[in-house]
């Protein structure tokens, strides 16, 4: 005969394995690579720099024509 097994521990271990497998599947399906994250961050920083470059200081008067 084998060892007695706690059914609740076995059930919980199986649930953990199932959740981990689902998490890994979602990471593959929806996750982004490190390169993609860096690219998005660089694009956001460039966009912010470009926006800051286009802002006026507010010192100039608008031309009245």
């Amino acid at each position: 005969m084998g060892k007695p097994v706690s059914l609740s521990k076995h059930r919980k271990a199986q649930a953990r394995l199932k959740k981990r497998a689902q998490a890994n599947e979602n990471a593959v399906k929806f996750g982004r690579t490190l390169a993609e994250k860096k690219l998005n961050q660089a694009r956001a920083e460039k966009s912010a720099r470009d926006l800051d470059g286009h802002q006026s200081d507010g010192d100039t008067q608008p031309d009245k024509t």
Side-chain angles (χ1 to χ4, degrees):
M1 272 194 130
K3 286 182 169 180
V5 178
S6 173
L7 295 179
S8 62
K9 286 184 181 182
H10 179 70
R11 186 179 64 244
K12 288 179 183 182
Q14 291 298 94
R16 280 193 298 271
L17 289 175
K18 186 177 177 182
K19 283 184 181 184
R20 184 67 172 161
Q22 182 67 41
N24 288 338
E25 186 179 317
N26 286 343
V28 169
K29 188 185 292 186
F30 300 110
R32 297 183 299 164
T33 64
L34 184 61
E36 289 173 330
K37 290 177 186 178
K38 285 185 177 183
L39 179 63
N40 286 342
Q41 182 180 6
R43 285 181 178 165
E45 289 172 357
K46 183 182 182 322
S47 177
R49 281 194 314 269
D50 290 347
L51 183 62
D52 289 341
H54 289 289
Q55 288 181 345
S56 65
D57 294 335
D59 296 337
T60 59
Q61 296 290 329
D63 292 333
K64 293 183 181 178
T65 55

